[in-house]
Amino acid sequence: MAELSVRCAGIALRNPLLLASGIWGESGESLVGAWKAGAGGVITKSIGSFPRPGYPNPTIESYDRWGMLNAMGLPNPGIEEYPQEIAIALGAGATVIGSVFGGDAAEFANLAAAMAKTGVCAIELNLSCPHAQGYGSEIGSDPTQVEEIVRAVTRAVPLPVIAKITPNATDPAGLAAAAERGGAAAVSAINTLRALAIDVELRRPVLSHRLGGLSGPAIKPIGLACVWQIRERVRIPIIGVGGIASGRDVLEYLMAGASAVEIGTQVAFEGIGAFGRIGRELSELLESLGFARASDATGAAHSATS
Amino acid sequence: MRTIVTVQERVAETPSTVTLRFPYAPAAAPGQFVMVWIPGDDELPMSLSYTEGASKGITVKAMGGTSRNVQRIETGTRLGIRGPYGNQFDPSPKRILIVAGGSGAAVLAPGAERAIAGGAKVTVALGATTEAELLFRERFATMGAAVEVTTDDGSAGARGYVTVVVEPLLATHAFDAVWSCGPEIMMRKVALLARARGVASYGSVERQMKCALGMCDACALGPFHVCVEGPVFSTEKLLELPEFGAFKRDPAGRRVRL
């Protein structure tokens, strides 16, 4: 079997399959469940300064296996209450990455500093949620702000900082380059794509927030393109995200330039067993293609074309 | 994806509960729930109170906010339905004690019907605040269940919470299973009474629900997600969880006491 453990952003991961932020991350017990199911690490829900209920339902529109549209609205218990959930996950031995969202560099830095005290091994900055006013992609689409936020956070915390990049921008690779200039240890790409569902009988948008973010297999080629372009622009590691449903999908992201990946929507389609299955598929596929280690595949498609 | 349905029948069951019937073809089992979208308002998880055939139904208690608005829905109103989701009550036990507190009867009535149709003997302990609030008292009697009622104010049956009749029933009758639904503190008591008698016990629990697809974590209950692994659980599993009968999570994910 191929070796699946990887190092990414200075973090040792037992395998490259991370639980994506927003999936299963509201309770500590759920983070433990994802860890026990075989995730290489778990990323918390994005945590803000204050408790936030999120948008009213409907917050989800699911399409058969090819995609999922959501506008949850960043629900989270707030940074004061959330550490008890992280403690549960850490108590079970999980590798935990803390995700935070703020409205400006100072808020990001404060949240990251509080998150760092919980014992997480890295901080992921949500610069890319496509459906929250004043947060996420609204500020993460501007390379100047991305650089400023990442710099403020890297100065505030002693941990690796991962900037999650939005695809809802003209030049996602430019945003990754800005994060690298700011001192990010890695970037993750992509978050969901801005999208809309309409109910024709009711003549109205389905989601209460109207606009949402599309995830799932439909966005994999877009995620791959972003990872590919980011790889050409930056030297820091990339965590690939978007539509991963199989070991082959993971390998595509690795070959495009990723060192690790995040998996989310597939958990809704398949259950948390997706982690074990995808890990086994990845290991077998790597071996059959002559890779001794997952890390050997990172960027493989670039060397073939250079 | 949702199916847009039109409400065909509205029945005021009690002063605080209303049943809405609508055509919805997908097969459903007693205990399962649907997500009900009230366009322009919200989308709520609702256990099906009528599961058989093409006409499904929900029975809603006015708790405030959207559930109060649901009460005002008239026939002809269009709703978005997705599901059914979740697991079901196993209707195979031959002697079942059903313990329903308040609107919990809405969840349990279709299971009682299916169990009786399969030859089971069903006893129902039905509790409510007052006689007028006893939900599905007639329906349980008509399907052939033995019904014992309790009311908080003593206006019908034994005075007190429904648990006052559960203990004597368990002491004097043999049961193969106990099913419960209602306030979680009541369910916890019933679970402990069933455990003391060595009777298998199952309860339907309620939590916040957003995606209903096992993804968003809003309905996290210990290691479980109520939308996928519930809403029906063995109460032996529930009793292992510190939050059963103690706390739930609000829409932000904060722990709040029940």
Side-chain angles (χ1 to χ4, degrees):
Chain A
M1 300 296 272
E3 177 58 53
L4 290 188
S5 68
V6 296
R7 282 194 75 81
C8 176
I11 317 158
L13 300 171
R14 64 182 182 180
N15 68 56
L17 316 179
L18 303 171
L19 176 74
S21 181
I23 314 299
W24 273 45
E26 200 161 280
S27 88
E29 290 91 340
S30 296
L31 292 173
V32 172
W35 174 255
K36 286 187 176 164
V42 294
I43 307 178
T44 70
K45 258 210 196 313
S46 288
I47 304 301
S49 301
F50 305 102
R52 198 178 144 101
Y55 300 133
N57 285 341
T59 45
I60 286 272
E61 175 76 322
S62 179
Y63 306 101
D64 302 326
R65 300 268 159 180
W66 63 261
M68 176 93 67
L69 183 57
N70 92 83
M72 305 306 297
L74 294 171
N76 79 96
I79 193 67
E80 248 179 69
E81 288 207 23
Y82 192 70
Q84 63 183 325
E85 311 294 342
I86 294 179
I88 292 169
L90 293 173
T95 299
V96 183
I97 297 170
S99 173
V100 295
F101 71 95
D104 57 31
E107 189 179 14
F108 265 106
N110 286 337
L111 284 162
M115 183 61 88
K117 286 186 192 136
T118 65
V120 298
C121 66
I123 307 284
E124 183 176 79
L125 307 180
N126 183 342
L127 295 163
S128 40
C129 173
H131 51 68
Q133 201 176 358
Y135 298 109
S137 62
E138 286 201 6
I139 49 181
S141 303
D142 171 10
T144 310
Q145 286 199 72
V146 168
E147 183 176 343
E148 183 194 343
I149 290 165
V150 173
R151 180 166 292 120
V153 173
T154 52
R155 283 177 180 163
V157 299
L159 298 177
V161 174
I162 303 161
K164 191 159 185 176
I165 300 296
T166 178
N168 300 305
T170 317
D171 180 20
L175 298 169
E180 183 178 48
R181 285 195 301 277
V187 293
S188 41
I190 54 178
N191 206 316
T192 55
L193 284 126
R194 190 181 304 116
L196 179 70
I198 298 275
D199 188 287
V200 296
E201 285 168 82
L202 300 176
R203 305 182 188 193
R204 63 187 302 148
V206 173
L207 302 183
S208 74
H209 185 66
R210 300 180 182 86
L211 293 172
L214 185 67
S215 61
I219 72 166
K220 186 188 72 173
I222 300 165
L224 284 170
C226 286
V227 169
W228 177 275
Q229 291 186 306
I230 291 169
R231 171 77 178 188
E232 310 246 290
R233 288 280 288 277
V234 308
R235 310 293 291 257
I236 54 177
I238 304 162
I239 300 170
V241 202
I244 291 172
S246 69
R248 182 172 292 268
D249 295 334
V250 177
L251 187 53
E252 289 173 15
Y253 270 102
L254 297 182
M255 288 187 171
S259 300
V261 298
E262 296 176 14
I263 296 172
T265 302
Q266 187 62 22
V267 172
F269 292 143
E270 182 179 351
I272 206 70
F275 279 95
R277 177 187 61 80
I278 292 172
R280 286 190 296 278
E281 287 178 6
L282 176 63
S283 180
E284 285 164 18
L285 186 58
L286 284 166
E287 184 155 296
S288 73
L289 295 174
F291 290 98
R293 288 174 295 274
S295 55
D296 293 344
T298 294
H302 289 264
S303 35
T305 56
S306 59
Chain B
M1 299 288 280
R2 290 158 183 77
T3 302
I4 305 302
V5 304
T6 302
V7 175
Q8 291 189 323
E9 190 186 351
R10 178 187 188 279
V11 181
E13 306 283 3
T14 77
S16 77
T17 45
V18 167
T19 292
L20 302 174
R21 302 291 298 267
F22 47 83
Y24 189 63
Q32 289 192 296
F33 71 96
V34 290
M35 293 297 286
V36 181
W37 179 27
I38 304 97
D41 189 339
D42 203 340
E43 183 191 47
L44 299 176
M46 300 269 179
S47 287
L48 288 166
S49 57
Y50 291 90
T51 53
E52 309 304 305
S55 173
K56 303 296 194 293
I58 54 173
T59 301
V60 190
K61 185 177 176 70
M63 305 288 283
T66 301
S67 64
R68 201 163 51 230
N69 298 341
V70 175
Q71 295 243 308
R72 299 199 192 103
I73 289 173
E74 297 295 335
T75 56
T77 303
R78 287 190 295 180
L79 302 172
I81 304 290
R82 60 187 176 106
Y85 296 116
N87 64 358
Q88 56 181 287
F89 284 104
D90 167 17
S92 65
K94 289 299 159 209
R95 295 166 301 180
I96 303 172
L97 172 60
I98 285 179
V99 185
S103 58
V107 180
L108 296 162
E113 277 164 353
R114 200 176 272 196
I116 288 171
K121 186 171 175 297
V122 171
T123 304
V124 179
L126 180 65
T129 51
T130 66
E131 181 172 25
E133 285 295 346
L134 287 164
L135 177 62
F136 290 150
R137 187 182 186 179
E138 287 299 313
R139 184 178 171 191
F140 281 121
T142 305
M143 72 178 78
V147 185
E148 291 213 24
V149 305
T150 69
T151 50
D152 298 356
D153 66 354
S155 53
R159 184 191 188 102
Y161 295 126
V162 69
T163 40
V164 302
V165 296
V166 171
E167 190 159 22
L169 280 168
L170 282 168
T172 56
H173 296 67
F175 293 103
D176 305 309
V178 174
W179 297 351
S180 65
C181 186
E184 212 164 290
I185 292 163
M186 173 279 273
M187 290 175 62
R188 191 181 161 82
K189 279 186 189 157
V190 171
L192 290 169
L193 291 171
R195 172 191 274 182
R197 295 278 167 187
V199 183
S201 165
Y202 302 88
S204 173
V205 296
E206 191 174 38
R207 283 296 181 274
Q208 281 291 330
M209 250 176 238
K210 292 179 180 178
C211 76
L213 303 171
M215 183 169 74
C216 75
D217 220 25
C219 68
L221 174 68
F224 306 116
H225 290 96
V226 173
C227 68
V228 172
E229 290 149 301
V232 180
F233 292 93
S234 154
T235 55
E236 284 305 304
K237 281 187 183 173
L238 294 175
L239 285 169
E240 289 171 14
L241 307 177
E243 60 248 71
F244 178 50
F247 73 85
K248 58 179 183 167
R249 286 171 194 277
D250 71 5
R254 283 179 294 183
R255 297 163 185 241
V256 290
R257 292 211 69 79
L258 281 170

